[in-house]
Structures are given as C-alpha cells and as structure tokens.
Amino acid sequence: PMVDLGFLLITFFMLATSMAKPQTMEIMMPSKEKVKDDQQNQVKSSRAMTILLGKDNKIYYYFGTTEKGVDPKVEQTTFDPDGIRKILLDRNKEVNKAIDSLKQVKAEKKITAEEYKAKFSEIKGSKKSVVVLIKPSDVSKYDNLVGILDEMNITNIGTYAIVPITGYDTDLVGKTFPDAFTESTQTK
C-alpha cells in the first residue's frame, strides 16, 4: 500500500505541476526581396545610433552620421546599469512611455493578449524608435555581443542590426580612444 501511495503521489505531482517553458528572444530575419543599394542603408540620422564593441568590455557609441563633413562625437561606456542601458532608455524614451502605458492597459485587462502583442510590436517598430547598428570588433568577446542583444530586448529597441565594423568606424573611435580596438600584449 505504501508503494501504491508513493506512485500515486509521484503521478499526481507530475501531472499537476507545469514544466518551465524556455524563453527565447524573437529575431526578425531580413526579407529575401531585392533592395536597391542606394535605399539599403538609409536611416534618418536623428534616429541612428551606432554601438561598437571594443576590448575589455568597453562600448563605444555615437549618434547620427557624418553630416556636412562633421563627424559625430564618440563616447565610451560599459555594461553597468548606468552605462549603455541608461543611454538606450534615454534615447528610446517615447517608445518606452508608450509601452508602459500599453502594459498598464493590459494589466487592467482592457485588451487581450493577442491585441497586446500586436500593439507592442507596432510600438517597438514605430518611426519614433531608435535604429541601432551593432558592430562587434575582432577584440570584443562573444559575451559582449550577447549582452548587447539582451540590452536591445530590455530597452525595447525594435530595430537593430549586427553589421561588420568598418574602417571609418575604427578611425572615428581611434581619434578619441586610440587603443579601443588594439589587442593588448597581456591577452596574447
């Protein structure tokens, strides 16, 4: 009888508990439609932000693009809470306010889960959202790339792309931070 009771309890708990569902991050893959080269990389410069991943867990970033021969100002930050997350939240303030109000509406049960998901995606992809170009360097760590992708999700950045770092970027960062992308002798 005790064995039967044991198996009965095991069976009950197996059926009554829910398994932990794995959480994944949604990634939008590019479409297969052909786009003209002159339209491919056009982003409004007021919405553009470029993040460059350097050595020693450092992040270099700038807003906009070169306009009228003037290069954008490059800043340095880290993965600390007052680092890149704060910068992304400040830059994406309007979208985050809209998402917070949408969460409030959902909490009051005024919309369904499907409506919430649709509106959430619409807000994240709006024209007010920041467009981020993530450029990992050869000396950055894979963990840094994963970390910055997590920050994109946490700060509700809807449009971002991982692109190769260019010579222009290394020169631009090198003017202010000369050793940003050079490998130190200690790590060799």
Side-chain angles (χ1 to χ4, degrees):
M2 287 300 273
V3 172
D4 291 343
L5 180 63
F7 280 114
L8 182 63
L9 287 173
I10 290 171
T11 305
F12 171 76
F13 286 116
M14 284 176 56
L15 295 175
T17 58
S18 62
M19 296 293 187
K21 296 178 184 176
Q23 294 183 357
T24 59
M25 184 177 6
E26 291 182 33
I27 296 179
M28 302 291 273
M29 298 302 288
S31 67
K32 294 184 180 183
E33 297 175 13
K34 290 288 182 185
V35 179
K36 295 178 183 175
D37 286 341
D38 59 339
Q39 295 176 341
Q40 187 173 8
N41 293 324
Q42 289 184 354
V43 174
K44 198 173 183 182
S45 108
S46 62
R47 293 178 51 206
M49 179 178 182
T50 304
I51 296 176
L52 302 123
L53 303 175
K55 68 176 184 177
D56 300 329
N57 301 323
K58 299 282 190 217
I59 301 172
Y60 305 92
Y61 66 95
Y62 60 89
F63 300 109
T65 58
T66 301
E67 290 186 24
K68 299 178 184 172
V70 178
D71 290 332
K73 183 179 178 189
V74 178
E75 300 286 336
Q76 178 182 350
T77 189
T78 61
F79 285 98
D80 294 334
D82 289 337
I84 193 68
R85 184 176 299 174
K86 184 177 185 314
I87 294 161
L88 290 169
L89 285 172
D90 288 345
R91 194 71 175 183
N92 208 28
K93 198 177 293 187
E94 288 182 46
V95 171
N96 285 316
K97 280 183 184 178
I99 287 174
D100 288 342
S101 64
L102 180 65
K103 286 179 181 179
Q104 182 66 31
V105 170
K106 183 185 177 214
E108 295 170 357
K109 300 189 182 204
K110 293 182 180 177
I111 60 172
T112 64
E114 292 82 27
E115 291 174 325
Y116 172 77
K117 281 185 178 181
K119 289 185 180 186
F120 185 82
S121 295
E122 182 182 319
I123 292 170
K124 274 180 82 170
S126 72
K127 295 196 183 251
K128 295 177 183 178
S129 178
V130 178
V131 177
V132 179
L133 297 175
I134 303 167
K135 299 183 178 187
S137 67
D138 292 338
V139 294
S140 65
K141 297 178 184 175
Y142 183 75
D143 185 47
N144 291 345
L145 182 61
V146 172
I148 202 70
L149 290 175
D150 284 342
E151 294 298 332
M152 296 297 119
N153 196 27
I154 292 167
T155 58
N156 299 314
I157 303 293
T159 308
Y160 57 90
I162 302 169
V163 295
I165 196 165
T166 62
Y168 169 76
D169 294 318
T170 55
D171 292 343
L172 186 64
V173 174
K175 290 177 186 176
T176 312
F177 305 99
D179 64 339
F181 303 119
T182 57
E183 198 160 343
S184 63
T185 56
Q186 295 175 352
T187 59
K188 288 185 178 179

